[in-house]
Amino acid sequence: MPNSTKKIIHIAFCWWPDPAGGTEVYVKGLAEELSKLGVENVIAAPKAGLKEVESFQGENGIRVWRFGCRESGGDLGEIYGEGDPVAAESFKRVLD
């Protein structure tokens, strides 16, 4: 029988210990409630200047992955177009 565990990756704009806001509070609460239903949750969030992907056990046992992104925000063409190539390459390692 195949593994029927449900897995969800939540991608947030930032995550603790960095300053977090309402979206992060919502995602944290959502992940905690889904965990009670047997869903395996993972959080992924960028961290400016990070060279290697980092992983740690967050609150309530939820795995958190931090992936690199550029130090600056980029221009609007990058934000709404192709995106940050550093973040894209780093995020691929999270998925692997």
Side-chain angles (χ1 to χ4, degrees):
M1 174 181 270
N3 184 348
S4 62
T5 301
K6 304 284 191 249
K7 297 178 183 180
I8 296 177
I9 183 168
H10 304 271
I11 305 168
F13 180 73
C14 64
W15 203 257
W16 294 276
D18 294 343
T23 300
E24 291 74 31
V25 171
Y26 172 81
V27 169
K28 180 178 176 278
L30 176 62
E32 289 171 350
E33 291 301 313
L34 288 170
S35 291
K36 293 176 186 176
L37 298 173
V39 175
E40 181 182 337
N41 295 272
V42 175
I43 307 295
K47 183 175 181 181
L50 190 64
K51 301 297 182 201
E52 297 292 327
V53 172
E54 295 178 348
S55 175
F56 59 91
Q57 203 71 22
E59 290 185 38
N60 295 323
I62 297 173
R63 172 73 47 202
V64 177
W65 289 89
R66 299 302 302 265
F67 59 93
C69 65
R70 293 204 305 198
E71 295 284 343
S72 64
D75 62 27
L76 288 179
E78 181 179 286
I79 293 170
Y80 293 106
E82 292 296 317
D84 178 352
V86 173
E89 190 58 38
S90 185
F91 186 70
K92 285 180 191 177
R93 291 193 297 272
V94 171
L95 295 177
D96 287 342

